[in-house]
Amino acid sequence: MTELTSKQRKVLEKFAQPMSAMVQIGGAGLTEAQVAQIDRCLADHELIKVKFNEFKDDKKDLTGEVVQKTDATLVRIIGNVAILYRPAEKADDRQYEKALKKA
């Protein structure tokens, strides 16, 4: 898990703002299949949004569980949407590294 400064969080929030949620947590709650899907999305995109259609009261706990299982970093929870970040494994594939270093 990467530690982010408040300035780095702001930078990632700006990149995430126009994005749509890639994963939605519904009536079934957080399943292992959804955790695997979130892991794949993070591997492909580095920065994703997860929307809570149900379990809105438990979103902080569920997000913490996702962060722990996927080795991601929570950027911020805004409303019922969590923004997650995990840098790409290959340095050449990292899209946000330059912007984060400037912050």
Side-chain angles (χ1 to χ4, degrees):
M1 181 163 64
T2 307
E3 287 296 320
L4 298 172
T5 66
S6 61
K7 289 181 181 182
Q8 289 173 326
R9 287 181 194 280
K10 289 281 187 197
V11 167
L12 290 174
E13 281 179 47
K14 287 180 183 178
F15 281 115
Q17 197 274 330
M19 293 179 176
S20 299
M22 293 192 176
V23 180
Q24 297 184 4
I25 308 299
L30 183 65
T31 63
E32 289 303 316
Q34 285 176 317
V35 172
Q37 181 183 5
I38 291 169
D39 193 48
R40 281 192 306 273
C41 288
L42 284 166
D44 292 343
H45 302 283
E46 291 184 86
L47 186 67
I48 66 167
K49 286 183 177 179
V50 178
K51 183 172 184 175
F52 291 89
N53 292 333
E54 301 289 333
F55 299 97
K56 295 174 183 176
D57 295 335
D58 301 326
K59 63 188 166 202
K60 288 183 182 176
D61 295 333
L62 293 174
T63 302
E65 188 178 331
V66 168
V67 164
Q68 184 179 17
K69 289 182 178 180
T70 61
D71 194 35
T73 301
L74 174 64
V75 176
R76 183 145 296 135
I77 296 177
I78 301 172
N80 293 314
V81 177
I83 303 170
L84 303 177
Y85 171 72
R86 184 177 71 196
E89 290 185 21
K90 294 182 182 177
D92 295 342
D93 295 339
R94 295 183 184 154
Q95 302 173 38
Y96 307 104
E97 191 171 38
K98 287 182 184 177
L100 291 176
K101 283 185 179 179
K102 289 181 185 178

